[in-house]
Amino acid sequence: MLAKALRKWPYLIIAALLALLILAPFDWFLGQYRTLMIFIGLSTMVTVGLCLLLGYTGQVSLGQAAFYGLGAYFSAVLSKNYYINPWLAMLIAAMATVTFAYVIGYPIFRLRGNYLAMATLGIGIIMWILFRQLSQFTGGPDGMTGIPFLSIGGFAFESSFRRYFLVWGFCLAVLLISQNIVNSRTGRALRAIHGSEAAAESIGINVAQFKVKIFVLSAVFASLAGSLFVHHLRFVSPQPFDFFASVKLVVMAVIGGLASVWGAIFGAGATRILSDELLLRFGEWDVVIYGAILMLVMIFMPEGLFVKLKDIVGQVRSRFERRGAES
Amino acid sequence: MSADQFIQYLVDGLSKGSIYGLVGLGFTIIYAVTRIINFAQGEFVMLAGMLSFLLAITHGLPLPLAAIISILAAAATGGIMYLLAIRTARRASVVSLIIITIGAAIFIRGIAGEQLGKDAIRPPYFTGKEPITFLDANIHPQDLWIIGNTIAVTILIHLFLSRTMIGKALTASAVNPRAESLMGINIKAMALFAFIFAATIGGIGGVVMAPRTMMAYNMGVLVGLKGFIAASIGGFSSPVAAVIGGMILGIVESLAVGVDWGPFTSSYKDVIAISVLLLILLIRSGKLAEEERTG
């Protein structure tokens, strides 16, 4: 009985997760954690992009928070200071981010490994300085408040209950798009690039183009999440987009399993719960714990924590099945 | 910009550049021996700088003693980091190693933030703060300490690498690790030594610079990045080149602050430094790609 249930576990788990996602925001269930769950959704969107880049394609970005910030600031400034419709602002933000990612993507993806990592780190820091310094637009280090809510017709996303479904709707769309990409020709090309760039090149894969494309895609995901972020919080400041934020995204990707789309939810969730809920009670040791997690996971299970756990579940399952077959 | 201002900016740039150079020197040594870019390099500087304040001010130790203990602590941190994090991750990919050293960096930063405090602190000057007048320019005595120290350290390291047995072994392991291990030199010991060596130099830099620039638990990233830029200007080729690279970066930064940029304020100096890095990397990208393939 148990063996049979376990064999079908992917569907069961997906169904259970979906039910959990739909029921979670109600007050009689996990309503008190609604804000936390909204942030998990936003972080998941950014993390998925990073997983595609880092896990599948093997390219490091230590400045991913910059794209999150670009989306956030474009949306905030356009919708608040220039009274542009928030949806349009979101679209403009995404397009601006695409352009930016494209323009920097082509030159910096001529770099590899360590140099690529340093270059993205540098770009992330430059963007963070600009968010702080262009204070006539961004409000400087203090940030800006009074950003409008998103709305459709007369239906405004003014309660966290409504925004929960908005954010998770976007998040699931991003996850499904990523899942499709991973299982497509493009996904196989990316894995080939991860394996050996020379080999990928030799079978006709345009390595540079694929790298830039996936970089741009990850930037768009981050930009959309950034836009949703400011319309949720109605406040923006440079702090969530600093170097440490980019490292935190890497932590999420590493916990989630670098090459695992759905693991991103797990990574973002675990990291958010750790920093927003648990660690607040023990002081700010989260930085130390993130450092330890990064080192331990990369040393002992470089494929990522979530993937490792999945393997263990798989082993347990096959043991059950064998026992079922014997009896 | 008048002549005395120019000298002042020049000294200021050399002083800042000295630290970038020392950090870049650490990057160069570790990279040469292990082909690893140690993203935690700036944390050694921060750690030693903050410790020297804690020991000298909070615990009232004499400054030279506090400085030596802080440098030793940074050195020990470098050694422990290699033994626990780098050596256990054998045959890790470049990406894994990047993430591991970043993990180490924020681990050190987190502990420093919790244990040494989150406020920017400033240990006492080595020899007061009475400016020395030179050609009408007022020069801060700590700047002379910083620059003099860097020159001395660089000369010593150069002599060490070219004249002593262990220094030559270190250089050899950078050139051809396989041949070297056939000659009976322990590569792993060399790697450990490189980490301790780089951490010590970073620590020295931190202790000397802290009184001038102040020190905060979150400074490591930027110091590390600037050090990396210094090493890149030097082409990761030799310790001396890294120090010269650091000096160049420091002067560029300092003069950029001195020039009137109109609407842009001096807070953009980091943007200028990072742009220098991006420029160098892009110009050298062809050669770097080659290096990654063979190295």
Side-chain angles (χ1 to χ4, degrees):
Chain A
M1 194 55 204
L2 187 62
K4 226 178 230 172
L6 280 170
R7 203 172 305 144
K8 286 187 183 150
W9 78 278
Y11 304 101
L12 279 175
I13 285 188
I14 288 171
L17 266 179
L18 263 179
L20 185 71
L21 269 179
I22 292 171
L23 296 179
F26 288 94
D27 284 333
W28 47 263
F29 194 31
L30 294 166
Q32 52 173 329
Y33 296 114
R34 212 146 46 205
T35 313
L36 172 68
M37 289 184 296
I38 290 175
F39 280 123
I40 293 176
L42 294 172
S43 296
T44 303
M45 289 173 71
V46 191
T47 307
V48 172
L50 195 59
C51 284
L52 289 178
L53 193 64
L54 188 59
Y56 287 94
T57 327
Q59 309 298 313
V60 193
S61 169
L62 296 179
Q64 207 65 9
F67 300 119
Y68 191 38
L70 267 180
Y73 271 105
F74 263 102
S75 266
V77 172
L78 290 177
S79 66
K80 195 206 165 197
N81 296 354
Y82 297 95
Y83 308 105
I84 291 175
N85 179 303
W87 293 106
L88 186 61
M90 196 171 181
L91 186 69
I92 298 174
M95 284 179 351
T97 310
V98 167
T99 316
F100 178 66
Y102 224 80
V103 169
I104 61 166
Y106 264 101
I108 68 166
F109 275 96
R110 280 158 60 194
L111 303 169
R112 289 200 176 88
N114 293 310
Y115 299 102
L116 177 67
M118 273 297 178
T120 54
L121 192 161
I123 288 168
I125 291 182
I126 288 183
M127 294 314 292
W128 182 72
I129 294 174
L130 292 182
F131 295 149
R132 282 172 66 94
Q133 294 299 331
L134 295 174
S135 50
Q136 62 269 44
F137 300 110
T138 64
D142 298 332
M144 57 196 284
T145 52
I147 297 153
F149 286 124
L150 283 163
S151 59
I152 302 173
F155 183 85
F157 290 92
E158 53 194 15
S159 68
S160 62
F161 185 78
R162 288 174 179 182
R163 288 195 300 272
Y164 172 90
F165 285 101
L166 176 74
V167 166
W168 275 98
F170 266 91
C171 183
L172 286 180
V174 161
L175 285 166
L176 286 174
I177 292 170
S178 307
Q179 179 71 41
N180 271 331
I181 289 173
V182 166
N183 292 334
S184 72
R185 205 181 146 83
T186 310
R188 290 191 291 278
L190 297 179
R191 281 191 290 271
I193 293 171
H194 193 176
S196 160
E197 285 188 23
E201 194 92 60
S202 75
I203 53 169
I205 294 170
N206 188 339
V207 172
Q209 204 181 30
F210 270 109
K211 282 185 193 171
V212 176
K213 264 188 190 163
I214 217 70
F215 180 62
V216 170
L217 187 74
S218 76
V220 173
F221 289 168
S223 168
L224 290 175
S227 296
L228 292 170
F229 170 76
V230 293
H231 290 300
H232 163 62
L233 217 55
R234 305 180 70 198
F235 167 74
V236 64
S237 74
Q239 191 257 328
F241 315 113
D242 62 1
F243 167 71
F244 186 60
S246 288
V247 172
K248 219 163 138 178
L249 289 167
V250 175
V251 177
M252 292 177 189
V254 163
I255 293 180
L258 293 164
S260 158
V261 167
W262 298 95
I265 302 184
F266 180 78
T271 312
R272 277 288 186 181
I273 292 170
L274 198 68
S275 65
D276 295 0
E277 292 294 320
L278 300 178
L279 286 162
L280 283 180
R281 290 167 205 163
F282 305 104
E284 295 171 45
W285 284 95
D286 52 340
V287 187
V288 179
I289 293 181
Y290 293 145
I293 288 176
L294 283 182
M295 289 190 282
L296 291 174
V297 174
M298 290 322 282
I299 292 169
F300 296 109
M301 33 192 141
E303 65 281 85
L305 192 60
F306 180 75
V307 175
K308 190 79 178 179
L309 288 179
K310 226 166 71 179
D311 285 353
I312 293 171
V313 171
Q315 279 166 11
V316 172
R317 185 162 58 118
S318 62
R319 196 169 299 163
F320 266 112
E321 276 174 16
R322 232 176 295 140
R323 203 172 289 165
E326 279 164 16
S327 62
Chain B
M1 194 184 296
S2 60
D4 58 319
Q5 268 181 323
F6 180 75
I7 293 176
Q8 219 145 330
Y9 284 125
L10 198 66
V11 174
D12 189 52
L14 284 174
S15 163
K16 271 187 282 176
S18 293
I19 306 303
Y20 305 156
L22 286 186
V23 179
L25 200 157
F27 270 114
T28 307
I29 288 176
I30 291 182
Y31 183 75
V33 178
T34 64
R35 297 281 141 180
I36 291 172
I37 293 293
N38 176 22
F39 282 75
Q41 194 65 29
E43 310 301 323
F44 302 138
V45 178
M46 178 277 294
L47 192 66
M50 292 199 70
L51 267 180
S52 74
F53 172 85
L54 185 79
L55 294 172
I57 300 293
T58 316
H59 295 290
L61 258 59
L63 195 54
L65 186 62
I68 289 171
I69 296 176
S70 307
I71 294 166
L72 289 179
T77 310
I80 292 169
M81 176 185 160
Y82 173 76
L83 291 176
L84 291 185
I86 307 294
R87 210 177 62 173
T88 41
R90 265 171 301 164
R91 271 183 254 116
S93 66
V94 176
V95 173
S96 298
L97 284 167
I98 291 172
I99 297 177
I100 289 170
T101 59
I102 287 182
I106 64 169
F107 187 81
I108 296 170
R109 162 185 169 154
I111 288 184
E114 280 302 310
Q115 294 298 306
L116 307 178
K118 299 222 159 155
D119 302 318
I121 42 133
R122 196 185 62 70
Y125 297 116
F126 288 10
T127 49
K129 56 174 181 176
E130 205 54 49
I132 298 160
T133 312
F134 173 74
L135 295 177
D136 291 339
N138 290 325
I139 294 165
H140 197 295
Q142 191 70 28
D143 281 341
L144 295 182
W145 274 104
I146 295 173
I147 298 168
N149 168 70
T150 300
I151 293 172
V153 167
T154 312
I155 292 173
L156 283 178
I157 287 173
H158 184 74
L159 290 178
F160 168 77
L161 289 178
S162 56
R163 298 285 163 81
T164 63
M165 193 58 210
I166 186 163
K168 285 180 183 170
L170 206 62
T171 317
S173 64
V175 176
N176 189 338
R178 212 178 120 77
E180 197 198 16
S181 69
L182 291 175
M183 307 301 278
I185 295 169
N186 186 341
I187 295 283
K188 282 204 181 115
M190 281 298 124
L192 172 64
F193 185 72
F195 267 84
I196 294 176
F197 199 60
T200 311
I201 296 162
I204 294 173
V207 165
V208 183
M209 99 186 239
R212 184 75 173 106
T213 56
M214 316 232 335
M215 220 16 113
Y217 78 105
N218 58 2
M219 273 187 64
V221 191
L222 210 54
V223 172
L225 182 62
K226 299 274 180 71
F228 181 83
I229 301 173
S232 304
I233 297 176
F236 281 94
S237 53
S238 82
V240 181
V243 173
I244 294 172
M247 299 281 190
I248 293 172
L249 178 66
I251 293 169
V252 168
E253 242 189 53
S254 180
L255 291 181
V257 174
V259 175
D260 183 18
W261 290 85
F264 297 98
T265 59
S266 60
S267 42
Y268 287 96
K269 70 175 179 3
D270 295 334
V271 175
I272 295 168
I274 298 167
S275 307
V276 169
L277 168 72
L278 294 175
L279 212 64
I280 297 168
L281 290 183
L282 294 179
I283 293 169
R284 294 167 45 92
S285 63
K287 194 177 164 288
L288 294 177
E290 190 111 331
E291 204 176 287
E292 293 261 309
R293 251 198 302 280
T294 53

